[in-house]
């Protein structure tokens, strides 16, 4: 069929990612529908399986069925693999499939991929892939080993399985957990709120997973010589540090006056780490004050770093928007960071991405609130959680009607593939240039 | 004193505006403190007079003392003049002072002013000023004449004064009203919710005042030949139309199901017109649903059009951010509108201004909520109302502590001078160029 081959050749990398993602989600949903996937051996309705699969592949963690009690170990394993595929990300997964299938990667494809992930000095795409895969498995293994003593003490041999699942879920910033039971579903990590081992291991996994593969490479190559890192890694590490410490101080004073000493410190730190974009919780979120919920929404929308397992509009986007404000106030034409100039087109992309996330978040939250008649603050929280692929919830998701769940599915999907595909779309269609229109003035502000 | 003259010569237009604005506010506050300004002949505390003066000069309309019952006719007249000065805006007022004081305007100053207000084809600054002043007084007079029958029917001869005050207040998008009494303070226009004359006249005054002087000029010169207008006027008129009709439809279906026919239509339209940035209200805002309040907050932050009597981040800023999203999705390097290209530096400024308003709004609302222990939604509403110089309130402003009132004063001041002075700052310091740093890549989204 020559038509088909012709068609295949002309799929852009952009389309490969969009379709590949959708394919994995659909495939996952179909497997999760099978009786073998549920603990009770029943067929799961399509829309609930689709919601779970989307949530796993988009590493969100919002659930309509309690992961620990509803799904069988087979179902949980499927979810874990979906999380792993989603967490490694579209580019990495696509490249893996290419390499594993023995297909030759053209220079054009290599160049598009390197452009898209902004890796100017990485030797080959194969070496890079191997570094990412080995790093991921190693870190997840170490994380699991640290958690085994605690979980095996509480759950016997099942503790091994729980350690592996939670290590993968934390590293991939997925936020799925197996701690719910028939009698206490959707509990997340609240029973381990004061356990330092689980808290610290999970936090480290989240942070390492969330800073991105290229930041790992910089740390791996240059160790502690911060000034030798790429500008992007410097921006990511500085922004990440600020976005953990400042909110932690806020939560420490605003919310946890009833906790003492080390527990207050742990709870505040965990609360600051988890919304960007892990989605576990150790304390009851509905008890937070309005200001704290708004702070969480902001952190959820910002999310993790690019080329990582995390979602959201990304730390770099947020940092560039602030640097742009700084540049304007200093009357600088150029936005700069760590002695490097940032191209104007990147600022424009950052603005687009921030606007896109804001519009999705606002429109989604408003629609759900109006449709369900629920308080706006809860619906905005849930929408931010979906579009930032966070998975924190004030408890309303399992009770929503199908239409609202479909909105959340769309938000999760766009939230995960949105930013990346945008860049792809721009990179892939450069030949669509038209004659430039005449310049005209317009006043803003 | 040669040092003083030397200093004076080097005041940039940017500094003239900042200081001129602060001067008018302080001067107004001092006059309002005098016993003659209050109805009871008492001295008003400085911070309350300052709040009122700031609110009037920044055409906000948030009040801590009821305008109709607390101030004497003298005090109300002072407030009206402060509104008129604030409404005509910093540039216009500064230029008026220059012209009236008989000082010669240097070519340098003319050019800075024309640059700042983006008026490429306006002949001279004197002709422009005369056009703006004449237009303003004429429209305010016509507005007052239309309202006199209604107000005189209800208040006798005092109705003439009320018509003039409300016409100025509406045209300048100030939102001050004289309808409060000792027994029913802070009522705004609720008693005229179903009066078509007052509704339509006030709405038209708000809209005409809010579309900006250059849009008037286009309409004056080209009448109904829309395609002959400047690109800026086209963007302003289109955006204004959308930002009135879409929210009106939303409010029509979301909130006013209990009203009927023409009343429902009037209330919905008024509710859509007033938050950008007039600040009158005809219905009780605390009865709105959460979604409607959020819609109001968004509209308040967007505000009116540049070079107008209105505040907020401006319709053009909002339109450019959306056009930028569109351009990215269409893989266009340039942001375009109505067949014209928009310079990248304008997009960067728009991003800065939007971020600035968002940061002020969010930080202000959060601080007040944490400090006062009030619900976040009300505090965010009040902060948006202040920074967008809108003046709508859910009723908490008069009850706030001094610290929160100072925050609102700062938000009003920055909200009114912020955007403009930013542009000025950029225009005035162009000589501060440094060697460009090397370009480096960074991923966003
Ligand atoms: K997540
Ligand atoms: K106002």
């Amino acid at each position: 069929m020559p038509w088909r081959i012709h068609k295949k050749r002309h799929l852009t990398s952009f389309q490969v990612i969009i379709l590949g993602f959708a394919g994995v989600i659909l495939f996952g949903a179909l497997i999760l529908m099978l009786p073998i996937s549920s603990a009770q051996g029943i067929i799961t309705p399509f829309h609930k399986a689709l919601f779970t699969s989307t949530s796993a592949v988009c590493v969100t963690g919002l659930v309509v069925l309690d992961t620990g009690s509803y799904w069988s170990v087979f179902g949980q394993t499927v979810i874990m693999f979906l999380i792993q595929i989603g967490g490694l990300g579209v580019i990495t997964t696509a490249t893996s499939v290419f390499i594993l299938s023995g297909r030759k990667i053209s220079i054009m494809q290599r160049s598009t991929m390197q452009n898209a992930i902004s890796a100017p000095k990485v030797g080959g795409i194969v070496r890079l892939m191997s570094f990412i895969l080995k790093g991921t498995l190693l870190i997840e293994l170490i994380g699991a080993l640290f958690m085994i003593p605690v979980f095996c003490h509480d759950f016997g041999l099942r503790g091994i399985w729980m350690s592996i699942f939670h290590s993968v879920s934390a590293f991939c910033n997925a936020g799925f957990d197996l701690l719910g039971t028939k009698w206490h579903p959707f509990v997340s990590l609240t029973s381990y709120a004061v356990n330092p081992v689980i808290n610290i291991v999970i936090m480290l996994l989240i942070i390492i997973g969330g800073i991105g593969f290229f930041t790992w490479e910089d740390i791996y190559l240059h160790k502690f010589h911060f000034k030798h890192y790429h500008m992007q890694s410097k921006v990511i590490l500085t922004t990440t540090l600020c976005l953990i410490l400042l909110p932690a101080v806020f939560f420490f004073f605003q919310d946890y006056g009833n906790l003492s000493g080390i527990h207050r410190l742990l709870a505040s730190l965990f609360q600051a780490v988890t919304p960007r974009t892990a989605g576990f919780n150790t304390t009851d979120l509905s008890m937070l004050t309005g200001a704290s919920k708004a702070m969480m929404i902001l952190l959820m929308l910002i999310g993790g770093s690019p080329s990582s397992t995390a979602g959201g509009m990304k730390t770099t986007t947020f940092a560039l928007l602030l640097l742009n404000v700084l540049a304007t106030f200093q009357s600088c034409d150029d936005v700069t960071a760590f002695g490097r100039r940032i191209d104007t087109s990147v600022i424009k992309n950052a603005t687009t991405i921030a606007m896109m996330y804001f519009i999705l978040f606002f429109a989604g939250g408003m629609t759900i609130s109006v449709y369900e008649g629920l308080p706006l603050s809860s619906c905005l929280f849930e929408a931010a959680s979906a579009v930032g692929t966070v998975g924190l919830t004030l408890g309303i998701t399992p009770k929503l009607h199908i239409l609202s769940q479909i909105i959340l599915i769309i938000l999760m999907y766009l939230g995960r593939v949105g930013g990346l595909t945008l860049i792809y779309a721009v990179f892939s269609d450069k030949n669509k240039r038209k004659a430039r229109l005449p310049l005209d003035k317009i006043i803003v502000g």
Side-chain angles (χ1 to χ4, degrees), chain A:
Chain A
M1 285 179 287
W3 173 81
R4 225 187 216 177
I5 291 163
H6 179 75
K7 190 87 188 255
K8 239 181 190 168
R9 266 193 187 160
H10 282 72
L11 275 183
T12 63
S13 37
F14 162 67
Q15 290 164 318
V16 167
I17 286 164
I18 290 278
L19 293 178
F21 235 88
V24 173
I25 289 173
L26 265 182
F27 184 69
L30 292 177
I31 295 188
L32 286 176
M33 282 179 74
L34 301 177
I36 190 179
S37 297
S38 71
Q40 296 183 299
I42 54 171
I43 293 178
T44 306
F46 176 67
H47 71 274
K48 292 189 177 183
L50 181 69
F51 194 98
T52 308
S53 180
T54 309
S55 182
V57 175
C58 299
V59 288
T60 306
L62 281 177
V63 288
V64 286
L65 300 163
D66 182 62
T67 318
S69 57
Y70 180 85
W71 303 105
S72 66
V73 172
F74 175 79
Q76 293 169 357
T77 311
V78 170
I79 290 174
M80 193 184 74
F81 274 99
L82 293 176
I83 290 173
Q84 186 71 79
I85 293 170
L88 281 175
V90 278
I91 302 161
T92 320
T93 309
T95 316
S96 297
V97 173
F98 269 47
I99 293 171
L100 293 178
S101 67
R103 280 171 69 174
K104 207 168 145 53
I105 303 172
S106 72
I107 290 172
M108 178 66 194
Q109 281 166 330
R110 283 169 198 256
S111 129
T112 312
M113 282 169 182
Q114 287 201 355
N115 259 334
I117 50 179
S118 179
K121 280 179 188 165
V122 173
I125 207 81
V126 178
R127 200 192 65 73
L128 172 66
M129 281 302 309
S130 143
F131 174 76
I132 293 176
L133 279 177
K134 276 188 203 155
T136 300
L137 295 178
L138 186 70
I139 296 167
E140 285 172 353
L141 186 67
I142 295 173
L145 289 177
F146 270 103
M147 289 192 286
I148 279 179
V150 179
F151 282 127
C152 281
H153 173 269
D154 293 354
F155 298 95
L157 272 182
R158 201 178 153 231
I160 298 174
W161 166 235
M162 296 187 85
S163 301
I164 296 171
F165 185 92
H166 288 111
S167 185
V168 172
S169 178
F171 178 81
C172 292
N173 277 266
F176 277 81
D177 68 275
L178 300 181
L179 296 165
T181 60
K182 221 180 213 168
W183 304 273
H184 297 97
F186 312 118
V187 292
S188 196
L189 299 179
T190 43
S191 49
Y192 291 91
V194 296
N195 183 311
V197 175
I198 297 294
N199 268 274
I200 292 170
V201 171
I202 296 267
M203 273 195 274
L204 284 178
L205 285 169
I206 292 171
I207 295 169
I208 296 172
I211 57 174
F213 312 134
F214 295 106
T215 315
W216 300 0
E217 177 144 59
D218 262 348
I219 297 173
Y220 177 76
L221 290 176
H222 302 293
K223 304 292 178 285
F224 292 105
H225 298 97
F226 185 75
K227 60 181 174 183
H228 292 150
Y229 292 4
H230 287 104
M231 182 267 283
Q232 171 166 300
S233 303
K234 291 179 187 170
V235 171
I236 286 174
L237 290 172
T238 315
T239 313
T240 302
L241 195 69
C242 292
L243 287 177
I244 290 172
L245 293 187
L246 297 182
V249 170
F250 176 84
F251 291 125
F252 189 87
F253 289 106
Q254 173 74 357
D255 287 284
Y256 296 125
N258 56 332
L259 299 176
S260 63
I262 187 76
H263 295 165
R264 191 173 175 184
L265 198 67
L266 275 181
S268 307
L269 270 175
F270 199 91
Q271 192 73 348
V273 168
T274 195
R276 286 178 331 99
T277 65
F280 294 109
N281 56 294
T282 56
T283 53
D284 185 358
L285 297 178
S286 51
M287 304 295 282
L288 292 175
T289 62
S292 298
K293 283 180 195 164
M295 179 67 88
M296 300 282 281
I297 287 179
L298 185 67
L299 291 171
M300 290 198 285
L301 289 176
I302 296 172
S305 301
S307 301
S308 79
T309 60
M313 73 169 78
K314 302 296 178 319
T315 52
T316 46
T317 309
F318 181 68
L320 287 193
L321 291 178
L322 292 184
L323 289 171
N324 181 48
V325 173
L326 206 68
T328 313
F329 276 99
Q330 292 179 332
S331 311
C332 287
D333 285 339
D334 297 325
V335 176
T336 60
F338 296 105
R340 290 284 187 281
R341 181 161 53 92
I342 290 151
D343 196 56
T344 316
S345 67
V346 181
I347 305 292
K348 277 174 59 187
N349 282 343
T351 306
T352 301
I353 289 166
M355 276 296 280
M356 198 189 70
Y357 274 87
F358 179 77
I359 292 171
L360 287 174
F361 149 72
F362 194 74
M366 291 278 277
T367 310
I368 294 175
S369 171
V370 170
Y371 180 73
E372 304 271 343
L374 288 168
L376 181 69
S377 58
S378 309
C379 298
L380 285 179
F381 192 95
E382 229 73 3
S385 180
V387 79
T389 69
V390 182
L392 291 175
T393 174
L394 296 177
I396 64 171
T397 294
K399 299 167 204 152
L400 296 177
H401 295 96
I402 288 189
L403 178 75
S404 304
Q405 292 189 355
I406 291 172
I407 291 175
L408 290 181
I409 288 176
I410 294 170
L411 288 182
M412 289 192 279
Y413 183 74
L414 292 180
R416 183 66 182 145
V417 301
L420 285 168
T421 48
L422 239 161
I423 305 293
Y424 265 87
V426 172
F427 268 100
S428 58
D429 273 346
K430 271 286 181 197
N431 47 345
K432 263 214 290 179
R433 292 187 82 126
K434 296 171 232 161
R436 288 187 103 182
L437 292 164
L439 195 66
D440 200 353
K441 286 190 182 179
I442 186 164
I443 321 178
V444 290

